Amino acid sequence: MLVLRSSPASPFGRKVKIAASLLGLSERIQIVDAETLNPEDSLRQQNPLGKIPALILENGEVLYDSRVIVEYLDFLAGGNRIYPAGEARFTALRDLALADGIADAALLQVYEGRFRAQEKHEPKWVDHQAGKVERGLAFAEAHLSTPAIALHIGHIALACALGYLDLRFAGRWRETHPKLVAWLADFEARVPAYGKTRVTA
Ligand SMILES: N[C@@H](CCC(=O)N[C@@H](CS)C(=O)NCC(=O)O)C(=O)O
């Protein structure tokens, strides 16, 4: 059995769970919740960076981060399933980088609120991160919002980044990105694991 250390709200952990489901590997993975803020949690021994997701293999080796884990799952499933082969791979990887960058920048804004007292919040930093989310969404709205014929890792990551904006930023992105709203609805209809991994708090 593989063991996935994650937490329900993590957009990166959600990406791994959805990929596992699409690849038919969910039954081989036990999910063990991790508390990234708890120094007693074994996560910091498993991943020195103390980040989720981390995947513990049957031989005890641990893989991180989410990109590496999903590539490993793709390999287990025969390869080139959600990481396409040939030239298409690089477009998928670019889309993945964009979507993960949106999630990273969103997460950093949330952490500013979580780790610093209100009076110490640095608006310049928060705005800097918000700009990445805004520009990333604008690019995705213009270029990535056509429903895909074959889903790849970039699509899964984008759906998870948008889901994180729904969860932590009250879905405000929906007001200004109608094509992405339609794109996400299509994704959810095609990928039942998306709805199953949704959290609301
Ligand atoms: N690039 C990493 C990002 C992982 C990440 O930032 N995870 C967050 C939770 S969503 C985390 O573990 N934060 C705790 C920390 O940074 O200490 C990946 O793709 O796995």
Side-chain angles (χ1 to χ4, degrees), residues 34-46:
E35 291 177 45
T36 56
L37 293 180
N38 177 2
E40 303 305 319
D41 191 307
S42 56
L43 176 68
R44 293 177 193 192
Q45 277 90 59
Q46 290 149 354

Side-chain angles (χ1 to χ4, degrees), residues 133-154:
V133 174
E134 255 169 54
R135 292 188 302 274
L137 289 177
F139 181 89
E141 173 83 2
H143 301 284
L144 311 182
S145 52
T146 311
I149 296 160
L151 292 173
H152 62 55
I153 184 60

Side-chain angles (χ1 to χ4, degrees), residues 1 4 6 8 36 57 152 190:
M1 200 72 169
L4 180 68
S6 191
T36 56
L57 307 188
H152 62 55
R190 290 164 67 182

Side-chain angles (χ1 to χ4, degrees), residues 11-142:
F12 304 102
R14 189 179 189 187
K15 184 170 65 179
V16 172
K17 290 171 197 166
I18 292 171
S21 168
L22 285 173
L23 293 167
L25 293 169
S26 301
E27 300 305 309
R28 287 185 59 183
I29 302 177
Q30 181 194 358
I31 295 167
V32 176
D33 281 353
E35 291 177 45
T36 56
L37 293 180
N38 177 2
E40 303 305 319
D41 191 307
S42 56
L43 176 68
R44 293 177 193 192
Q45 277 90 59
Q46 290 149 354
N47 175 357
L49 303 174
K51 290 190 177 198
I52 51 171
L55 185 75
I56 307 169
L57 307 188
E58 273 143 15
N59 66 4
E61 191 178 350
V62 184
L63 296 182
Y64 44 85
D65 59 12
S66 64
R67 287 178 258 215
V68 178
I69 297 171
V70 176
E71 193 159 353
Y72 177 70
L73 297 181
D74 194 62
F75 158 78
L76 285 186
N80 297 337
R81 298 268 308 273
I82 51 177
Y83 279 81
E87 284 278 321
R89 187 176 192 93
F90 299 97
T91 306
L93 289 174
R94 190 277 318 274
D95 295 351
L96 168 62
L98 182 86
D100 278 1
I102 292 172
D104 275 330
L107 208 67
L108 285 173
Q109 292 173 70
V110 170
Y111 285 174
E112 180 75 5
R114 217 173 261 173
F115 282 85
R116 284 177 191 264
Q118 180 76 37
E119 64 279 8
K120 290 192 178 149
H121 284 187
E122 178 48 70
K124 232 169 129 181
W125 170 249
V126 175
D127 288 350
H128 188 64
Q129 299 307 325
K132 293 176 198 290
V133 174
E134 255 169 54
R135 292 188 302 274
L137 289 177
F139 181 89
E141 173 83 2

